[in-house]
Every structure is written in structure tokens, then in C-alpha cells.
């Protein structure tokens, strides 16, 4: 059953369930009838282990053609994994949708025989981990002849689809599909056994019994001969439960953050096709149904135009192309090899916004610390290989043989190894009280040119990511609105005058706050790192303080130089393939920045609930500092809470200002990261600019 469903190979096999099997007669057995050699004539036996060919380094474990067809198929060669690559009959003959109808319906509760279920709109709720998805699939053969099939599958899929990086493509470009979640419903799909779906069922697994549902005149069992009988509607119930996280094998680098379920993001190509097909079907049937006229993203979620993450329940009827000659618009050319095609299919897209795992949230600091060590270790490994290549370039051929350069483990590699081997990682004291601080010299312009330094201005806050709860769309808010969108950032503004006699205090009147939504994608190779704040910005008060110029350009320079060295020295560099692929992935990342303006900004004192609309109304405080023999020094400071509300965020350039901030995530092929850009300006035009990381997650208590 597993081989005929989950691991069914892409190469069509000879399987006949539609004709009567041959009959056999018992023949008397005699010892002289045939020998053992005659009995196995025509069958190629595998060679004995002693005579099996062995390669120079590894034993030959490759399967023969016969073994690969009858043994366990490789997952990458199965129909289930490559269903998106199969040809569609609906693309060559759209009338197939009328001849062979297939429809997915979601229900509020689990489907039962003889009960009329309550249908629900797939986009009427936001799913999360642990939620059940109930429904059924209707299949109807509207022709006058039997329609055969080889496979019928009902699958819950999570797909990341990436198109070309260009935005002005007149010709459709090849797309890359990363199917990171595949859940197969054995009962809803066609299989050899008659399984028990409910605890009240007591089916004989070896004998299929046709069950008829009088509520809608449907049959709940597909035909044993793998045919769809004319004028009969089949109904297959399905049930899925959204998992807590992805399988460990989903991330080749074993990163915990990459194993969390990513949220629905963007609009996939298949979702657009499904919606257009549904509109065409509704138009031909003269119905006024508005079902599935929207996409699962529901609104602008600031995604790439050519990339998406989607979840859907899919149902497909798959068979050999030679069996569907009557459904093709044009005659099928004669070919020596047959192929599998999708006769018809249907998708039901859902909106999935996952919740933060409690264990993951408790270990967030350890995960960030590990991410920093992984990043530092990779940088040091790359730089060591580049330095080795430079040394080899400066040495003669004889010196390379007699005294080749040696490499030692880096300090970050040793720290990472110790951290991964320990059960609990101790937080370093040097990282427990970090602060973000930016400086600006307060100057006075002279009448005849030049300027005079009057003092030093400093703006600081804690180096802790601001935490906000995900604010779902208004249609999903069933409870009273709370203050989950309001955030208080504790800050301190300091001014140290150059001399004790200086009385000119800078006049700061307003703070502006922008929310930056950074989306990162990698089309082909998986992202080998978890992005942390040091990779995004360094708060150096310059215009090149972003991910592209801090990290992306660095990896691109590494890739160019290492590529040149590899062409010259090749294997002498002793560089691992994984490191080359990781560097190639990081050097070819694509980014998208969306800046949202926050208009609602107020201030308050740390121990006062009173809000201040004007920053200048917050009084300066005086503090004496270490004094010298000549003069005493002091500083002026303001401690305040910067109160912002992201519900009032505006998206410049948007006509409707409708958008949704999905929870931040980092996945093997895509990431969404948020941070604040806080700008403080004075009356003379000088400004302080600080960037603060933000964590936006959906908590489980929001739905309780």
C-alpha cells in the first residue's frame, strides 16, 4: 500500500485491475520435471556479496533498474514529490473540468456518513498548530464512459514557490518549488486496504464494501478497479492536524529556527490559477457564488511579487496519458514511453499564522547566541581559506609540497562546539547588559565658516528586541481589542557639554519612528544561517547601515575572491563543498525593504503614567561627573519611554493603506525580520538615528 501511494514512482508501471485475472491449474510435482536452474531461468539473481563489485573508496550500493522499480523508491522520484511537474490535461483541454469534476469542501466538524455537515469558508479563520482541518472531496465523472486513474491523492501541502528575480519578464520564467510540508491522508486517498477512519468503524481491511450516503447521493469508496463510473459522485472524507513544527530533515543545517512553521506569505502561482479556474467554472454554471474569490494572504503582506509561502489541501486524479486519449483536445503522438499526467485537480488554500512555541520562546536567547557563533565561525572559516589561498599564491611550487600551510580550529568553532555539546548554555556576562548607543557631536556654525564643538549627544536603549503580539485582521478579531499593538521603548538622551561654562543645550523637539519590514529570500540553495541584529545594522550613523551593505556585500566579496582562488589552486585549498554552497547561497540572496511610518508617537516618564505629546516638555536632569583640578564636569539627561502604536502605521505609496504585518520568521528559503528606525532631530538640522530590533509573534493566549 505504501508503494502504491506514498512512494509511487514517476515511471508508469504495468498494473491491470480492470480485467479478469488468469486461472491456474495444479500440476503434479515430480523430481524430474525441472531442475533448480531451469526453475530460475530468465531471472537475474543478485551477485553474492563476495563477488559484488567494489569501488576504490565506497562499496557499490546502487540499485539495478529492476530493483529500483520494485524496491523502495527514492522520495525525490515519487509522484507525490513531483506532482507540480506533471502535465495537466486542463492546460490542453479546459473542457476536462466539465467532464471530470473535482471539488474540495471544508467542514466545521469531522464528516460522518449520513450526517449533513456544516460547510465553512476556507478563508474565514486563521489556522495555527494543533488545529484540525475537516472536509471532503467530491469526484464526479460526467461523461458516458469509464475514466481510469492510477492514483488519487489528498494531501495537506506547504510550499515555498520562487520565480525569477526580474520584474519585467515578458516570457514566463522557470520557478523553483520547495515543498517543505507534505501530509498524506491514507483514508481519503485511493489505497488497497479499507481502513477504519473513525473509532466506531470495523471494516475488513481486505474487502472493500461500497457505502452509499443518502444525504447527498454519493459513494464513499472508490472503485477497486481504479475507474470512475459515469454519472456517479464519489465523496472522500479527510482530516488533517497541523503539526507543531517541521520534521528535522526539513533543514539540512539543523537550525531550530528553520524548523518552525512559516506563516502564509504572498500569493502563489497555483493559487492564482485555482482562483481563475474557479471563476470560470462559476461563470459557466451561471452561479453567483463568491467562494474562493480571494487569496489566502487576504491583504498586502509586503511579500515579494514572485515569491510566496502557501498552505493548501490538494486533491489530484493522476493516470497514464495513454488512458486519456479521449480527453485530449489533440491526438496524442505515438511514443515509446508513457507518462503520468494530472487528469484534474483542486486546491483549497488556507491561511496559516503559527503561534510561538513555548520552549522556543524560553530558549530564544540561546538560539540567538548560537546564531552569532555560527555566523562568526563561518566568517573565520571563509577568511582562513582565503588567507590560505593567498599564501599558496605567494609560494613556489616546491614550497607548497615541502611545507604546506596548516590550519587550526578557530576560537568561535571551539565555543560553538562546547555550546552544542552542553545541555544548558551559560549566558556570557559580556552579552547580558549590552546597550545600543549612538553619538553625535553638537556643533555651532561660525559666521566666517567652520564650526565649534559644544558637546556630545548620546541616545541609548537596551539591546533587547522589542516584543509585540501579532495583530490579526479585523475579520478574525472575535474578542475586544487590547493594547497588544502598543509598545514602550525605554530610552535615555544624554548631553555632555565640552566645558563646564557651556549653557547652550541642544533643542530636540520631536522623535520620528519608522518600522522596517525586511524580507529575504534564496531561490535555490538553503540559507545556512539564522540572521541576527549584528548582521542587519551596526548603528554607526551612516547611510550604509543595512543588511545589503553590511552582510550581503561582504559575502559577495568573499565569493568573488574565493572563486578566483579555487580556479587557481583547486583542491589545494581543501575547502568543503558545504562551505562553498553556503557562501553561494548567502552571496545570491534577494532583499526587499518596506518602510512604514508611525504617526502615533508619545512620551512618558519611567515612573509616571502621564503622556507627553511634546518631547521638549520632558525636563532635563542634572548629574555631576568626575571633576579635574581645573574644572568640574556634568551631564544633562532625559530618561523617558517612547510609546508607539503600530496599529497607526502608514504604508507610503499605498492607495488603500491595507496591509498586514505577519509574524517574523526565518526559514530555509525565506525570512521576514522587523526593526525600528528611531530618528531624533534638533532645531539646527542635526539628527541621531538608531535602529532597534523587534520581535512580532502570535501568542497562544491571544486565542484563548
Amino acid at each position: 500500500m505504501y508503494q502504491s501511494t506514498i512512494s509511487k514512482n514517476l515511471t508508469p508501471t504495468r498494473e491491470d485491475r480492470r480485467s479478469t485475472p488468469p486461472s491456474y491449474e495444479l500440476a503434479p510435482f515430480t523430481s524430474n520435471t525441472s531442475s533448480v536452474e531451469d526453475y530460475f531461468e530468465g531471472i537475474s539473481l543478485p551477485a553474492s556479496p563476495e563477488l559484488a563489485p567494489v569501488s576504490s573508496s565506497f562499496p557499490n550500493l546502487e540499485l539495478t533498474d529492476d530493483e529500483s522499480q520494485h524496491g523502495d523508491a527514492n522520495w525525490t522520484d515519487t509522484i507525490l514529490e513531483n506532482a507540480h511537474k506533471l502535465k495537466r490535461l486542463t492546460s490542453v483541454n479546459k473542457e476536462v473540468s466539465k467532464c471530470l469534476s473535482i471539488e474540495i469542501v471544508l467542514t466545521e466538524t469531522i464528516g460522518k456518513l449520513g450526517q449533513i455537515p456544516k460547510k465553512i469558508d476556507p478563508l474565514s479563520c486563521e489556522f495555527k498548530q494543533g488545529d484540525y482541518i475537516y472536509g471532503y472531496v467530491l469526484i464526479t465523472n460526467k461523461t458516458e464512459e469509464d475514466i481510469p486513474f492510477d492514483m488519487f491523492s489528498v494531501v495537506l501541502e506547504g510550499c515555498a514557490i520562487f520565480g525569477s528575480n526580474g520584474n519585467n519578464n515578458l516570457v514566463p520564467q522557470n520557478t523553483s518549488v520547495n515543498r517543505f510540508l507534505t501530509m498524506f491522508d491514507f483514508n481519503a486517498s485511493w489505497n488497497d486496504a479499507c481502513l477504519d477512519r473513525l473509532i466506531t468503524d470495523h471494516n475488513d481491511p481486505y474487502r472493500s464494501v461500497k457505502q452509499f450516503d443518502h444525504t447527498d447521493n454519493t459513494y464513499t469508496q472508490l472503485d477497486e478497479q481504479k475507474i470512475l463510473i459515469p454519472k456517479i459522485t464519489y465523496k472522500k472524507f479527510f482530516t488533517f492536524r497541523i503539526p507543531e513544527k517541521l520534521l528535522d530533515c526539513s533543514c539540512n543545517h539543523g537550525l531550530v529556527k528553520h524548523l518552525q512553521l512559516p506563516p502564509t506569505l504572498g500569493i502563489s502561482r497555483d493559487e492564482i490559477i485555482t482562483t481563475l479556474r474557479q471563476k470560470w467554472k462559476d461563470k459557466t454554471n451561471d452561479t453567483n457564488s463568491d467562494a474562493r474569490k480571494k487569496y489566502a494572504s487576504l491583504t498586502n503582506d509586503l511579500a515579494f511579487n514572485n515569491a510566496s509561502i502557501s498552505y493548501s489541501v490538494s486533491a489530484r486524479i493522476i493516470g497514464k496519458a495513454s488512458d486519456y486519449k479521449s480527453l485530449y483536445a489533440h491526438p496524442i503522438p505515438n511514443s515509446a514511453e508513457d507518462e503520468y499526467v494530472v487528469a484534474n485537480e483542486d486546491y483549497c488554500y488556507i491561511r496559516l499564522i503559527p503561534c510561538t512555541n513555548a520552549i522556543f520562546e524560553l530558549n530564544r536567547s540561546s538560539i540567538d547566541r548560537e546564531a552569532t557563533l555560527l555566523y562568526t565561525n563561518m566568517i573565520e572559516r571563509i577568511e582562513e581559506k582565503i588567507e590560505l589561498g593567498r599564501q599558496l599564491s605567494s609560494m613556489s611550487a616546491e614550497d607548497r609540497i615541502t611545507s604546506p600551510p596548516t590550519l587550526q580550529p578557530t576560537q568561535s568553532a571551539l565555543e560553538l562546539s562546547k555550546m552544542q555539546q552542553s545541555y544548558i548554555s551559560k549566558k556570557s556576562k559580556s552579552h547580558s547588559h549590552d546597550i545600543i548607543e549612538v553619538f553625535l557631536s553638537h556643533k555651532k556654525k561660525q559666521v566666517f565658516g567652520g564650526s565649534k564643538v559644544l558637546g556630545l549627544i548620546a541616545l541609548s536603549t537596551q539591546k533587547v528586541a522589542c516584543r509585540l503580539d501579532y495583530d490579526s485582521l479585523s475579520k478574525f478579531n472575535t474578542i475586544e481589542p487590547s493594547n497588544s499593538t502598543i509598545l514602550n521603548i525605554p530610552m535615555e538622551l544624554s548631553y555632555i557639554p565640552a566645558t563646564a561654562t557651556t549653557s547652550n543645550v541642544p533643542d530636540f523637539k520631536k522623535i520620528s519612528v519608522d518600522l522596517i519590514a525586511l524580507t529575504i529570500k534564496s531561490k535555490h540553495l538553503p540559507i545556512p544561517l539564522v540572521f541576527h541584529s549584528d548582521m542587519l545594522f551596526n548603528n554607526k550613523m551612516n547611510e550604509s547601515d543595512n543588511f545589503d551593505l553590511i552582510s550581503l556585500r561582504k559575502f559577495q566579496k568573499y565569493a568573488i575572491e574565493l572563486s578566483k582562488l579555487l580556479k587557481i589552486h583547486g583542491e589545494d585549498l581543501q575547502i568543503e563543498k558545504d562551505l562553498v554552497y553556503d557562501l553561494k547561497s548567502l552571496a545570491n540572496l534577494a532583499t526587499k525593504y518596506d518602510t512604514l511610518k508611525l504617526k502615533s508617537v508619545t512620551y512618558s516618564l519611567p515612573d509616571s503614567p502621564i503622556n507627553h505629546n511634546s518631547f521638549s516638555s520632558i525636563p532635563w536632569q542634572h548629574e555631576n561627573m568626575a571633576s579635574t583640578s581645573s574644572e568640574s564636569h556634568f551631564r544633562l539627561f532625559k530618561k523617558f519611554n517612547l510609546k508607539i502604536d503600530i496599529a497607526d502605521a502608514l504604508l507610503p505609496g499605498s492607495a488603500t493603506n491595507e496591509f498586514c504585518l505577519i509574524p517574523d520568521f526565518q526559514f530555509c528559503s525565506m525570512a521576514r525580520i522587523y526593526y525600528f528606525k528611531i530618528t531624533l532631530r534638533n532645531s539646527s538640522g542635526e539628527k541621531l538615528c538608531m535602529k532597534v530590533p523587534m520581535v512580532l509573534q502570535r501568542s497562544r493566549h491571544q486565542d484563548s
Side-chain angles (χ1 to χ4, degrees), residues 468-484:
L468 274 176
D469 288 334
Y470 163 73
D471 185 25
S472 59
L473 299 174
S474 58
K475 63 178 297 185
F476 302 120
N477 284 331
T478 57
I479 58 177
E480 295 182 0
S482 61
N483 294 329
S484 60

Side-chain angles (χ1 to χ4, degrees), residues 628-660:
T628 62
S629 57
S630 59
E631 59 180 345
S632 60
H633 294 273
F634 66 93
R635 79 180 183 107
L636 302 174
F637 66 93
K638 291 183 179 184
K639 284 188 176 181
F640 60 96
N641 290 328
L642 184 63
K643 188 175 182 180
I644 58 179
D645 189 354
I646 64 171
D648 296 331
L650 297 176
L651 183 62
S654 177
T656 59
N657 199 45
E658 292 184 358
F659 62 91
C660 178

Side-chain angles (χ1 to χ4, degrees), residues 408-646:
Q408 299 294 333
T410 62
Q411 183 63 29
S412 62
L414 295 176
E415 292 182 8
L416 180 61
S417 178
K418 292 178 181 179
M419 180 178 180
Q420 292 177 339
Q421 291 176 8
S422 62
Y423 289 97
I424 300 176
S425 61
K426 296 181 180 180
K427 186 184 294 185
S428 174
K429 292 183 180 180
S430 61
H431 292 267
S432 57
H433 301 289
D434 283 350
I435 62 172
I436 302 175
E437 193 167 19
V438 293
F439 301 93
L440 176 67
S441 297
H442 180 46
K443 301 178 182 180
K444 180 181 180 181
K445 294 183 179 180
Q446 302 291 339
V447 178
F448 299 101
S451 60
K452 180 182 179 181
V453 177
L454 301 179
L456 180 66
I457 306 170
L459 182 65
S460 63
T461 186
Q462 297 179 356
K463 194 177 182 179
V464 178
C466 305
R467 173 63 192 260
L468 274 176
D469 288 334
Y470 163 73
D471 185 25
S472 59
L473 299 174
S474 58
K475 63 178 297 185
F476 302 120
N477 284 331
T478 57
I479 58 177
E480 295 182 0
S482 61
N483 294 329
S484 60
T485 60
I486 299 176
L487 180 67
N488 289 299
I489 305 177
M491 307 194 73
E492 180 177 342
L493 176 65
S494 302
Y495 174 64
I496 303 176
T499 61
T501 58
T502 301
S503 59
N504 186 7
V505 180
D507 182 19
F508 291 97
K509 295 183 178 181
K510 183 179 181 182
I511 295 180
S512 60
V513 181
D514 297 334
L515 177 58
I516 311 298
L518 171 60
T519 311
I520 306 173
K521 72 167 184 176
S522 174
K523 181 179 179 181
H524 296 292
L525 297 173
I527 299 173
L529 295 174
V530 171
F531 304 117
H532 54 280
S533 58
D534 292 339
M535 298 177 64
L536 306 177
F537 44 81
N538 50 27
N539 282 309
K540 296 297 183 181
M541 291 290 294
N542 51 42
E543 297 297 330
S544 61
D545 191 21
N546 57 43
F547 175 77
D548 286 14
L549 300 177
I550 293 176
S551 298
L552 186 56
R553 179 173 293 182
K554 178 192 296 185
F555 288 117
Q556 290 174 348
K557 290 181 179 179
Y558 286 153
I560 293 173
E561 185 170 3
L562 197 58
S563 176
K564 293 179 181 178
L565 293 174
L566 281 171
K567 291 179 180 179
I568 299 173
H569 302 291
E571 296 181 356
D572 293 338
L573 283 180
Q574 299 178 359
I575 185 170
E576 305 89 349
K577 285 187 177 180
D578 291 341
L579 183 59
V580 175
Y581 291 147
D582 293 345
L583 180 56
K584 186 176 180 180
S585 171
L586 295 172
N588 289 280
L589 295 176
T591 57
K592 180 176 181 288
Y593 294 85
D594 291 282
T595 302
L596 288 80
K597 301 291 183 180
L598 300 178
K599 60 179 182 179
S600 178
V601 179
T602 56
Y603 320 94
S604 65
L605 298 178
D607 300 325
S608 175
I610 302 176
N611 293 331
H612 296 259
N613 294 326
S614 174
F615 181 72
S616 59
S617 63
I618 301 177
W620 288 96
Q621 300 183 44
H622 185 278
E623 180 184 20
N624 291 323
M625 301 176 64
S627 59
T628 62
S629 57
S630 59
E631 59 180 345
S632 60
H633 294 273
F634 66 93
R635 79 180 183 107
L636 302 174
F637 66 93
K638 291 183 179 184
K639 284 188 176 181
F640 60 96
N641 290 328
L642 184 63
K643 188 175 182 180
I644 58 179
D645 189 354
I646 64 171

